[in-house]
Amino acid sequence: MAIRTISAAELHRKMDSGESLFILDVRNPEEYQDWQIEGKQLQSINIPYFDFLDDNDALYADLPKDTEIITVCAKGGSAQMVAELLDQRGYDVSVLEGGMLAWSQFYVPVTIVDDDNLKLIQFNRLAKGCLSYMVISDGKALVVDPSRHVDEYVRVAEQEGAQIEHIMDTHLHADHITGGPELAQKTGATYYISASEMQGSDRPYEPLEKHSVIQFGHVNVKVLAIPTPGHTPGSMSFLVNDQFLLSGDTIFVGGLGRPDLGGKAREWAQALYDTVFRTIAQLSDDVLVLPAHYADIQEINAAGYVGETLGEIRRKNEIMRTEDRETFTETVANSVGATPPNYEDIVSINRGVLSVSPEKATELEIGPNRCAIHHT
């Protein structure tokens, strides 16, 4: 009998329903520790596929007989082999179709608000912890921080009966390849990014520095570009209708953007201080912060999206209250973690000075995001 397969979408539906799931990840331990499928009701263990080749009975001791086991590997092949061995022993087993490769390319759109003025949708690329946004008003749409699988945004815009007219990147991303230029080419929209992020690039774009307000739709949805350097020198945040701050990698639900990827950790941490205590300080507590990344599945709230009011972030996040400049700078500059893999190549691709095949792009993006520093 053929082993059942489960798609990334089906796996997510099971996770979203609150169903308890058991994942058997058969990749190498290093790969598993670096990056794995996470869920609030999900149990995951790692037994490398090559261990099963010895047909050791002890390997099966921790595997449940009364629960479906979903086997996972990089692309699906090794998981299929292990699933066949489990099936022979009477386990209820299925295989994640396409493995972590398929999971890395799966997006979940969640509507945050839908009123007379606008509809705001968050796209969650679960495997990467990458978040992007679509703002729709009067049949026109703005997309912020799109990932490279641009058909996801085209499909939703078509469903909403909206034409994508504006595309913005909050900054030059280091952990994933932007879909901004390709989406602009496909839809005829204008692609915006800070000019200071694109030095040495001949890629077509509209400098955000030229625009204090970008309006679209009859209701005059305002998108205000706020310079928020620190993560990168040209980072921008976008304040939509004075209610929603699309904060890029500047402010997260649980921390701040890391300032070290340009090799100037202290200098950029100083800029981040000014962002927090001069620029962001002017915004009210009830502004909803919607970041470009998250690092923990627990940051997805009960409504299904990642976001928190600025007041709650200030209350929970000690670094947002650390007004001593030197203490802030030292804390932020010394709180960096592992460097995002392949970030130099990804930055070059996003600047338009390096071109790679879709297969190579997929390879470069494999792995988690590492753009946040946590201070909660």
Side-chain angles (χ1 to χ4, degrees):
M1 187 176 73
I3 303 297
R4 293 193 310 272
T5 59
I6 180 172
S7 69
E10 290 170 323
L11 175 59
H12 176 258
R13 279 196 292 271
K14 286 175 175 283
M15 293 166 64
D16 205 36
S17 70
E19 183 177 338
S20 295
L21 298 172
F22 191 95
I23 299 284
L24 171 59
D25 194 313
V26 301
R27 294 174 297 154
N28 293 331
E30 298 79 14
E31 296 172 307
Y32 177 78
Q33 289 300 324
D34 188 49
W35 185 46
Q36 58 190 261
I37 296 174
E38 297 178 300
K40 294 180 180 179
Q41 300 293 325
L42 185 151
Q43 182 180 354
S44 173
I45 68 170
N46 173 228
I47 304 176
Y49 76 94
F50 48 78
D51 286 357
F52 286 92
L53 300 178
D54 296 334
D55 201 27
N56 184 349
D57 289 343
L59 285 177
Y60 299 87
D62 294 327
L63 301 181
K65 278 278 192 178
D66 57 351
T67 301
E68 178 187 11
I69 298 171
I70 302 169
T71 60
V72 176
C73 66
K75 297 181 180 180
S78 300
Q80 175 72 28
M81 181 202 74
V82 172
E84 290 171 357
L85 293 174
L86 293 178
D87 181 65
Q88 291 170 11
R89 288 176 174 253
Y91 288 91
D92 180 13
V93 62
S94 58
V95 178
L96 177 61
E97 187 177 3
M100 292 299 288
L101 176 61
W103 187 244
S104 75
Q105 301 178 64
F106 177 65
Y107 294 69
V108 180
V110 179
T111 298
I112 297 172
V113 64
D114 187 3
D115 60 27
D116 293 339
N117 291 332
L118 60 82
K119 186 168 189 175
L120 174 56
I121 300 170
Q122 181 181 82
F123 293 77
N124 187 343
R125 189 177 175 188
L126 285 166
K128 293 288 295 177
C130 290
L131 304 170
S132 50
Y133 299 89
M134 182 178 290
V135 184
I136 301 169
S137 178
D138 195 32
K140 300 176 182 179
L142 157 76
V143 178
V144 175
D145 287 331
S147 288
R148 66 184 181 88
H149 305 97
V150 299
D151 288 344
E152 296 287 333
Y153 309 98
V154 173
R155 177 179 57 81
V156 171
E158 289 176 348
Q159 287 177 351
E160 299 292 336
Q163 176 65 40
I164 298 173
E165 293 193 346
H166 306 280
I167 301 162
M168 298 177 176
D169 268 329
T170 53
H171 64 289
L172 197 67
H173 298 284
D175 74 313
H176 70 277
I177 296 169
T178 178
E182 182 183 351
L183 186 58
Q185 188 176 36
K186 196 163 191 172
T187 61
T190 302
Y191 173 60
Y192 304 80
I193 190 171
S194 169
S196 59
E197 301 286 82
M198 298 297 281
Q199 293 178 0
S201 172
D202 58 3
R203 167 168 277 175
Y205 70 95
E206 177 70 9
L208 278 166
E209 289 87 347
K210 290 185 177 181
H211 303 270
S212 59
V213 177
I214 296 172
Q215 298 177 329
F216 64 98
H218 291 308
V219 293
N220 293 321
V221 175
K222 294 186 297 184
V223 182
L224 180 65
I226 307 175
T228 48
H231 179 60
T232 65
S235 288
M236 293 278 188
S237 294
F238 307 122
L239 184 63
V240 180
N241 278 9
D242 297 320
Q243 294 176 286
F244 310 102
L245 184 69
L246 308 187
S247 61
D249 282 357
T250 301
I251 299 178
F252 298 97
V253 169
L256 299 175
R258 58 188 298 171
D260 63 304
L261 295 181
K264 301 178 180 178
R266 285 187 57 83
E267 180 181 335
W268 289 9
Q270 294 265 2
L272 191 58
Y273 177 91
D274 291 331
T275 290
V276 171
F277 292 104
R278 294 181 182 176
T279 306
I280 302 300
Q282 300 175 39
L283 301 181
S284 66
D285 281 349
D286 60 0
V287 166
L288 183 64
V289 175
L290 299 167
H293 285 109
Y294 65 100
D296 191 309
I297 200 78
Q298 301 301 325
E299 294 177 43
I300 300 176
N301 63 26
Y305 67 87
V306 177
E308 184 64 271
T309 63
L310 190 52
E312 277 299 294
I313 291 174
R314 286 167 172 154
R315 185 181 67 82
K316 296 176 181 177
N317 195 335
E318 182 180 352
I319 199 65
M320 295 283 286
R321 303 189 303 274
T322 304
E323 296 191 37
D324 180 80
R325 178 182 285 269
E326 186 61 27
T327 301
F328 179 98
T329 301
E330 286 298 318
T331 301
V332 171
N334 293 323
S335 297
V336 298
T339 300
N342 309 311
Y343 86 94
E344 291 177 334
D345 284 343
I346 290 175
V347 165
S348 295
I349 293 167
N350 287 340
R351 192 175 276 125
V353 298
L354 176 64
S355 180
V356 297
S357 68
E359 293 76 20
K360 182 63 176 178
T362 297
E363 178 186 327
L364 289 171
E365 284 192 326
I366 289 293
N369 85 77
R370 294 190 175 95
C371 291
I373 306 171
H374 290 273
H375 302 102
T376 51

